[in-house]
């Protein structure tokens, strides 16, 4: 089997003797097949030409439980987390995967039914497919590696296949996207965890023997855990040391697991959550796993983040808004909630337009008879009590003002008090022969069964009908309920464990259809805030509502954590009223603006209630953001101070455009301290020998001065303070 391997070479992939070498511009990922036909991992890190010591050690190793394997199975002596678990028709769960063959494909094939990153011709991407087989169980696993040399990214996924030789079905109980073994355990695990209105809090902890895991069983990627984790080397910091990042392009139940074995080796595995998962494969069928995006950095978390940011902006997000500046919007939700009239909406829109805003968004409550959150979801028909002239007339009036018009939907949901439920009570997710559980704690609503094609087609027709009827340039696609009662009457008892993934396939089908049919609409994902802020949703919708918590102080941490993986252009950030509706805090309009400008800027309040002084402040904010918008949305982000370091009293960011000719700096102080003093903030990302002018200060300095000595700031009294600076290169 091994002797049959041929030498092969492609841009980014070299096959030599028993080794597979994946190469990006800065990294190497190396595997080998040992004499027993087991595909083993040798190395992932800074670029390397050859590995001989590791291969000798692999060949000497006789204990399968100590081998660093690329696709782990259980039943042949490896007691660590398996990548795949297969049940045969006879009930056996023993698996044994051995090398069969490989092929190299130029470019990157799409994944059937799932979102994924993509390649363009100029990227010179190559894909390696290594096929492993279980000769006893009649199934194969295609390990698929795509190499993006210019982005320093490697993606991984697995395709499982029933070869049909035994003419028997098999059942997948675990079908992860990848596993990766490291020969040491001296890492910190970094994860982004939290809750509603407290998304993506940064947690770090040293690895310990045993299993440490992040996961979601909620039917969504969730605010509780994000489908991202990183391993940090002993010296890793923002700007130094080794970091391995792993991010799953999936929006449903997932698991990210790190196991340290008794020999102090570490295994990372990620994919669809095995909890209550199952998938039957009849002969000839295949199962595609979601894609995982792997990033290695030897220059700390900062370089890892900028790699993810650029890659996701350019090779994950799609559509007409991918490289287009995002509009400054005003949303009526916190201004009116469900209680509004056409006149009130127009007043808010006119006030926003006078202040320079570009898009008005009508949030929840415009359809059915929805005066509270207990009715009408699924009945996507305008409420003529509130909008007597209809939605189209309102959109036309907003258009006449010179603003875009946006609309809120929650298409995946159904209310018991709705015409849709009255006609189709079986369309909601529920366990057959059980009544749906009480939903009082879940916003008085149920979820439509998107594992069913007829339900998916209804959602497409209902949403498309509204979008085609009016001048709508923006959609906020919300999802406010985690899944319970998971089951479908459309599935037989052998296939009920397939439900959660079939739901995701249905959702992705809906999103692909609607976003393709309305390419000029800017779609924004929302899930009770940032509860589904993941790469899977960004593939269809290039921005996400970062959190329902609009308090400026809370948002500093939320946006900082989000920025570890997701680019600023994908983060929607709004100024809201004070006292803040979530925490009751009072912060200045200036600070609220300076925090919200660190993503896609907007307002969520009643603009008609501004004082004259506030109007002038808001006008200035809007003008300022329009000037810096290209740098914020499409520049490189350098984190200068972390709200998680020390006492967490400061945070700071520096955004630099691609040409390094302009930079924008934001600096935040949470609480005032006695003995005010002069402070310096050291910048990053500038050209050392380029001279920069700090606008409005009269200060001009070279890049190396600004990065080594920093800019000066006098700390004033008062809590929740912020400052911003704009730097422009001086012609030399």
């Amino acid at each position: 089997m091994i002797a049959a391997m041929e030498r092969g070479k492609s841009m980014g992939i070299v096959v030599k003797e028993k080794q597979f070498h994946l190469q990006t511009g800065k990294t190497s990922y190396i595997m080998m097949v040992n004499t027993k036909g087991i595909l083993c991992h040798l190395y992932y890190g800074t670029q390397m030409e050859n590995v001989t010591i590791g291969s000798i050690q692999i060949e000497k190793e006789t204990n399968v439980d100590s081998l660093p394997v690329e696709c782990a199975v259980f039943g042949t002596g490896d007691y660590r987390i398996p990548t795949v678990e297969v049940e045969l028709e006879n009930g056996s769960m023993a698996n044994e995967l051995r090398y069969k063959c490989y092929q190299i494909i130029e470019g990157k094939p799409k994944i059937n039914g799932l979102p994924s990153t993509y390649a363009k011709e100029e990227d010179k991407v190559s894909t390696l497919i290594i096929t492993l087989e279980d000769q006893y169980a009649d199934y194969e696993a295609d390990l698929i590696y795509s190499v993006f040399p210019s982005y320093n990214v490697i993606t991984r996924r697995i395709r499982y296949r029933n070869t049909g030789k035994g003419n028997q079905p098999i059942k997948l109980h675990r079908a992860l996207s990848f596993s990766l073994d490291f020969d040491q355990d001296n890492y910190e695990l970094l994860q982004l965890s939290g809750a509603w209105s407290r998304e993506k809090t940064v947690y770090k902890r040293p690895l310990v023997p045993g299993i440490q895991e992040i996961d979601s069983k909620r039917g969504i990627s969730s605010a509780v855990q994000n489908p991202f984790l990183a391993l940090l080397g002993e010296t890793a910091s923002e700007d130094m040391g080794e970091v391995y990042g792993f991010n799953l392009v999936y929006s449903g139940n997932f698991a990210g697991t790190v196991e340290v074995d008794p020999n102090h080796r570490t295994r990372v595995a990620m994919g669809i959550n095995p909890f209550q998962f199952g998938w039957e494969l009849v002969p000839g069928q295949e199962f595609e796993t979601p894609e995982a995006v792997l990033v290695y950095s030897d220059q700390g978390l900062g370089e890892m983040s900028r790699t993810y940011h650029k890659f996701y902006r350019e090779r994950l997000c799609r559509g007409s808004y991918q490289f287009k500046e995002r509009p400054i919007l005003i949303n009526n939700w916190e201004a009116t909630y469900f209680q509004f009239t056409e006149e009130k909406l127009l007043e808010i829109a006119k006030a926003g337009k006078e202040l320079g805003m570009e898009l008005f968004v009508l949030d929840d409550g415009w359809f059915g008879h929805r005066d509270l959150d207990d009715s009408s979801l699924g009945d996507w028909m305008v409420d003529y009590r509130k909008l007597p002239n209809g939605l189209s007339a309102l959109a036309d009036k907003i258009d006449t003002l010179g603003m875009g018009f946006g609309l809120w939907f929650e298409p995946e949901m159904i209310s018991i008090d709705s015409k849709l439920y009255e006609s189709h009570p079986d369309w909601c997710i529920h366990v057959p022969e059980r009544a749906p559980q009480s939903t009082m704690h879940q916003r008085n609503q149920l979820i439509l069964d998107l594992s069913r094609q007829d339900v998916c087609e209804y959602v497409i027709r209902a949403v498309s009908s509204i979008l085609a009827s009016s001048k709508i340039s923006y959609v906020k696609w919300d999802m406010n309920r985690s899944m319970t009662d998971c089951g479908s009457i459309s599935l037989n008892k052998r296939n009920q464990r397939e439900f959660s993934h079939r739901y995701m396939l249905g959702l992705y089908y809906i999103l692909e259809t609607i976003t393709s049919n309305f390419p000029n609409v800017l779609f924004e994902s929302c899930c009770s805030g940032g509860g589904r802020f993941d790469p899977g949703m960004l593939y269809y919708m290039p921005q996400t509502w970062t959190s329902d918590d609009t308090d400026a102080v809370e948002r500093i941490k939320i946006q900082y954590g989000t920025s570890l993986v997701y680019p600023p252009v994908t983060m929607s950030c709004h100024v809201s009223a004070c006292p803040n509706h979530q925490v009751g805090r009072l912060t200045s309009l200036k600070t609220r603006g300076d925090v919200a400008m660190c993503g896609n800027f907007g307002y969520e309040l009643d603009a008609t209630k501004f004082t004259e002084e506030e109007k002038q402040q808001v006008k200035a904010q809007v003008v300022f953001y329009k000037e810096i918008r290209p740098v914020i949305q499409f520049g490189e982000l350098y984190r200068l101070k972390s709200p998680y370091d020390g006492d967490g009293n400061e945070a700071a960011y520096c955004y630099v455009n691609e040409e390094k000719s302009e930079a924008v700096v934001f600096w935040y102080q949470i609480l005032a301290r006695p003995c005010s003093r002069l402070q310096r903030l050291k910048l990053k990302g500038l050209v050392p020998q380029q001279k920069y002018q700090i606008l409005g200060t009269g200060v001009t300095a070279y890049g190396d001065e600004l990065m080594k000595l920093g800019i000066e700031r006098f700390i004033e009294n008062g809590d929740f303070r912020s400052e911003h600076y704009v730097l422009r290169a001086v012609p030399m």
Side-chain angles (χ1 to χ4, degrees), residues 130-310:
I130 301 176
T131 300
L132 309 179
E133 65 176 349
D134 187 325
Q135 295 178 322
Y136 303 97
D138 297 331
Y139 86 95
E140 295 178 344
D142 293 331
L143 277 59
I144 304 172
Y145 305 77
S146 292
V147 183
F148 289 79
S150 59
Y151 288 92
N152 293 304
V153 166
I154 294 171
T155 67
R156 285 196 60 182
R157 62 187 177 94
I158 302 178
R159 181 170 56 221
Y160 300 100
R161 177 171 50 256
N162 184 335
T163 58
K165 297 174 185 175
N167 201 32
Q168 296 290 333
I170 63 172
K171 179 168 283 190
L172 298 171
H173 288 276
R174 177 188 298 258
L176 300 183
S177 298
F178 80 95
S179 62
L180 179 60
D181 288 351
F182 295 84
D183 61 4
Q184 58 190 36
D185 66 349
N186 55 338
Y187 297 105
E188 274 192 312
L189 170 63
L190 184 150
Q191 63 192 66
L192 302 177
S193 307
W196 172 76
S197 285
R198 190 165 37 84
E199 296 91 338
K200 296 171 193 65
T201 305
V202 179
Y203 290 93
K204 298 178 186 177
R205 51 182 165 140
L207 295 184
V208 297
I211 290 175
Q212 30 260 283
E213 183 173 68
I214 59 170
D215 80 333
S216 174
K217 307 176 187 72
R218 299 166 179 264
I220 52 177
S221 51
S222 88
V224 179
Q225 306 286 0
N226 192 261
F228 165 81
L229 61 84
L231 293 185
L232 281 58
E234 287 183 301
T235 62
S237 64
E238 180 67 20
D239 303 304
M240 297 175 59
E242 289 194 311
V243 175
Y244 296 89
F246 309 94
N247 199 196
L248 191 67
V249 186
Y250 194 62
S251 312
N253 293 339
F254 77 93
T257 310
V258 181
E259 181 176 10
V260 176
D261 71 13
N263 298 310
H264 303 288
R265 298 180 177 93
T266 301
R267 173 171 292 171
V268 178
M270 186 175 277
I272 295 172
N273 199 331
F275 178 79
Q276 294 193 355
F277 168 80
W279 198 273
E280 187 175 65
L281 285 178
V282 300
Q285 283 188 339
E286 297 179 336
F287 181 83
E288 300 263 22
T289 68
E291 176 178 77
V293 180
L294 280 59
V295 171
Y296 168 79
S297 164
D298 63 354
Q299 296 178 44
L301 285 164
E303 183 185 55
M304 180 205 73
S305 297
R306 287 185 289 277
T307 300
Y308 273 117
H309 292 180
K310 183 176 177 62

Side-chain angles (χ1 to χ4, degrees), residues 22 45 75 123 385 502 648 722:
L22 314 181
D123 297 335
R385 298 173 305 152
R502 288 191 180 276
S722 66

Side-chain angles (χ1 to χ4, degrees), residues 593-612:
D594 282 348
V595 172
M597 288 185 201
C598 290
N600 297 325
F601 188 49
Y603 293 81
E604 192 155 329
L605 41 66
D606 190 344
T608 67
K609 293 183 178 179
F610 282 138
T611 65
E612 286 302 316

